[in-house]
Amino acid sequence: MAGGRPGSAGPDRRLPSPGPGGRPPHGLRRAFPRGVRLPAQKHLTLGRPLEEAPDPGRVAILLRQHPGPPCRALVHEGDDVLLGQKVGEPESALAAPVHASVSGRVEAVEPWPHPDGGEALAVVIASDGLDRRCPGLEPAPDPLSLPPAELVSRIREAGIVGMGGAGFPTSAKLDLPAGARIDAYLLNGAECEPYLTSDHRLLVERAGTVVRGFLALMRAVGAPRGLVALERGRHGAAEALRAAIEAEPALSDPQSRGAAPHIEVVLLPERYPWGSERHLIRGLLGRTVPSGCFPVHVGVLVSNVATAAAVAEALYLGLPLIRRAVTVSGPGVARPSNLWARIGTPAEVLIEHCGGYSAPPARLILGGPMMGRAQPTARVPITKTTSGVLVFTAAEDGREPPPSPCIRCGRCVGACPMGLLPGVLAELAERGLLEEADRWHLRDCVECGCCAYVCPAGRPLVQAIRLAKAELAGAGEAVGPRSEPAPAATAGAAGTGTDVAEVKGGRASGGTGAAPGRQGGG
């Protein structure tokens, strides 16, 4: 491995610098080595408009819907609550407040099934069906004229997080380090996981809302340029976005707001995992985020299109993050659909609204089939980061035979978008050699599941890596930092995934990883 680094698949491949004006070098927009091509399976819901999910009658608002510690409950059993009322107060910069998605009475503050596994405290509210709105939830006057600090404050109070799966508080992302400058803001609409189409429908039906929210995010950090990244083949999304951009006055008539910002739409090839923020930055701007660093360190921020829509609702409607678009799909759903669902709605309620099960279910996954988590119960509520509810029957559930020993074929190395050696990392993880695995850039794994997807031996590579990362994070200071700094050309992320689900030939089998977290692409 001459010229390489521990954990890499070969020599470091530095990408060219951005061209004049910060534009991507010629051809880089479409360059995405590694990764995999997946069967899209989006035809089930791609053309189905968003429809309003019914009032579930009872919601469970989990107090942990972010990477940090759970919120402190602000209500108690028997309390009357209003729509949009804050029911959980964050006590960490990595946490965001949570709000009631219905009006009604608090039944309990008790443990409830959590999508990341196990249980977590939740505020359980019995809806009165009236949606009595909390006073004080007013739209901002002319949001794009607000000072950046006030924009960030309103976004914080609305409880907005990265809705592409990361769950990182958006206000914390916008709170830039001293001296940091953002010259490009990327909006991630790639939605590269199979089955999921909720972001696509947001763009087709509510492009103006997305654009207004994106402009507010750009203004909050002073970004002059925005790029909206979409996969090709999502008919209608790019056209709707371009029309919304053309119609947005703030993009052509600055009126004392400084120079008008610029937003463009970029189409990407269909390849997984384009949704990883580090790969978007590399592919669109030709910049490599150093290992252990964040996009802000290379002058870029990335948010999900659903996050931008939530920002617009907070600023223009006065609504905190109490609902989101969710795809309910898979062969086990009678009528696959895209729904506007209230945060805290049990998955079983959404499935029932879509006609129930088409056959006895074998597997339920919240999220996508590659990074989503298999659930032990349909009582689990959706959270701010739930993009999909997928159901598979025994006919499609791709449970494979027990894994066999590694045959040293190198397919996992060729597929890994981070240029790591997944087989080596998994072996070190299985042996409990965490410090050695950390030196081989264990924490740079984004847990996309490409390695497990292509492994002919059926080894649970990403599951072993995920567990090791969780143990490493739990060990904290006992393990300590890496013994040497990572090379600047190593593009890695500390974000995590959930369960991998193999979608070979349209089949799916969610894994059994136990570590919470998501990749930071939201």
Side-chain angles (χ1 to χ4, degrees), residues 367-462:
M370 292 296 285
M371 294 185 70
R373 182 175 293 276
Q375 303 298 320
T377 173
R379 290 178 63 241
V380 62
I382 69 163
T383 68
K384 299 174 183 180
T385 62
T386 305
S387 55
V389 176
L390 306 182
V391 181
F392 299 92
T393 66
E396 297 85 21
D397 186 41
R399 297 175 189 266
E400 302 211 352
S404 57
C406 174
I407 62 174
R408 303 291 190 245
C409 65
R411 292 185 188 177
C412 61
V413 177
C416 178
M418 300 304 297
L420 304 175
L421 300 179
V424 172
L425 291 172
E427 186 172 350
L428 292 172
E430 289 165 355
R431 294 183 180 185
L433 301 175
L434 299 185
E435 293 185 72
E436 180 68 14
D438 200 29
R439 284 193 288 271
W440 285 74
H441 296 271
L442 174 79
R443 285 185 274 200
D444 285 348
C445 171
V446 298
E447 301 181 28
C448 63
C450 289
C451 53
Y453 178 79
V454 301
C455 179
R459 297 186 66 210
L461 300 173
V462 70

Side-chain angles (χ1 to χ4, degrees), residues 65-68 93-96 159-175 277 294 302-303 307 385 518-522:
Q65 302 187 43
H66 41 254
L94 293 179
I160 297 173
V161 302
M163 296 170 67
F168 191 81
T170 302
S171 59
K173 180 180 292 188
L174 301 176
D175 188 11
E277 65 182 11
F294 297 96
V302 184
S303 289
T307 303
T385 62
R518 298 288 195 280
Q519 173 179 304

Side-chain angles (χ1 to χ4, degrees), residues 225-237:
R225 180 176 178 228
L227 296 173
V228 186
L230 311 176
E231 278 196 345
R232 292 193 203 121
R234 306 293 180 261
H235 301 295

Side-chain angles (χ1 to χ4, degrees), residues 97-440:
V98 293
H99 302 79
S101 58
V102 297
S103 61
R105 185 179 62 85
V106 176
E107 288 191 336
V109 180
E110 62 184 11
W112 202 265
H114 195 288
D116 283 340
E119 293 185 332
L121 277 181
V123 176
V124 184
I125 306 171
S127 172
D128 59 14
L130 301 177
D131 282 345
R132 293 173 291 130
R133 183 162 169 153
C134 184
L137 298 181
E138 300 296 333
D142 193 9
L144 296 183
S145 68
L146 294 177
E150 186 171 347
L151 284 173
V152 174
S153 175
R154 285 177 176 267
I155 289 169
R156 179 184 299 111
E157 282 303 304
I160 297 173
V161 302
M163 296 170 67
F168 191 81
T170 302
S171 59
K173 180 180 292 188
L174 301 176
D175 188 11
L176 302 179
R181 179 178 176 271
I182 302 300
D183 60 29
Y185 207 130
L186 308 186
L187 199 61
N188 184 359
E191 202 168 36
C192 52
E193 284 230 42
Y195 291 98
L196 303 183
T197 58
S198 55
D199 284 354
H200 169 77
R201 295 312 309 179
L202 265 180
L203 292 169
V204 171
E205 300 174 39
R206 310 192 182 198
T209 299
V210 172
V211 169
R212 285 191 293 274
F214 190 25
L215 280 169
L217 290 169
M218 293 172 63
R219 176 168 174 76
V221 294
R225 180 176 178 228
L227 296 173
V228 186
L230 311 176
E231 278 196 345
R232 292 193 203 121
R234 306 293 180 261
H235 301 295
E239 294 81 358
L241 262 177
R242 290 186 177 119
I245 291 169
E246 183 72 22
E248 177 54 51
L251 291 171
S252 57
D253 181 20
Q255 289 185 346
S256 78
R257 297 170 183 156
H262 172 72
I263 297 178
E264 64 178 289
V265 178
V266 181
L267 299 181
L268 308 171
E270 296 181 11
R271 194 165 187 84
Y272 178 81
W274 258 123
S276 162
E277 65 182 11
R278 292 169 183 253
H279 295 96
L280 279 179
I281 293 168
R282 184 175 177 177
L284 299 183
L285 299 174
R287 305 177 194 180
T288 298
V289 180
S291 178
C293 295
F294 297 96
V296 67
H297 294 120
V298 294
V300 184
L301 288 182
V302 184
S303 289
N304 180 264
V305 295
T307 303
V311 168
E313 288 209 334
L315 297 175
Y316 289 88
L317 300 179
L319 286 176
L321 181 44
I322 57 175
R323 60 180 185 174
R324 67 156 297 145
V326 180
T327 297
V328 182
S329 188
V333 177
R335 184 176 61 85
S337 305
N338 294 299
L339 305 178
W340 267 115
R342 300 171 192 246
I343 304 300
T345 300
E348 60 190 357
V349 172
L350 300 183
I351 295 169
E352 183 65 28
H353 177 71
C354 295
Y357 299 112
S358 60
R363 190 176 297 270
L364 169 67
I365 296 175
L366 257 58
M370 292 296 285
M371 294 185 70
R373 182 175 293 276
Q375 303 298 320
T377 173
R379 290 178 63 241
V380 62
I382 69 163
T383 68
K384 299 174 183 180
T385 62
T386 305
S387 55
V389 176
L390 306 182
V391 181
F392 299 92
T393 66
E396 297 85 21
D397 186 41
R399 297 175 189 266
E400 302 211 352
S404 57
C406 174
I407 62 174
R408 303 291 190 245
C409 65
R411 292 185 188 177
C412 61
V413 177
C416 178
M418 300 304 297
L420 304 175
L421 300 179
V424 172
L425 291 172
E427 186 172 350
L428 292 172
E430 289 165 355
R431 294 183 180 185
L433 301 175
L434 299 185
E435 293 185 72
E436 180 68 14
D438 200 29
R439 284 193 288 271
W440 285 74

Side-chain angles (χ1 to χ4, degrees), residues 40-74:
Q41 306 292 351
K42 295 179 184 285
H43 63 281
L44 296 173
T45 55
L46 195 65
R48 291 188 177 271
L50 286 164
E51 57 182 276
E52 195 77 32
D55 184 324
R58 177 179 289 102
V59 294
I61 310 297
L62 290 164
L63 293 173
R64 179 172 61 80
Q65 302 187 43
H66 41 254
C71 291
R72 171 175 52 87
L74 298 178

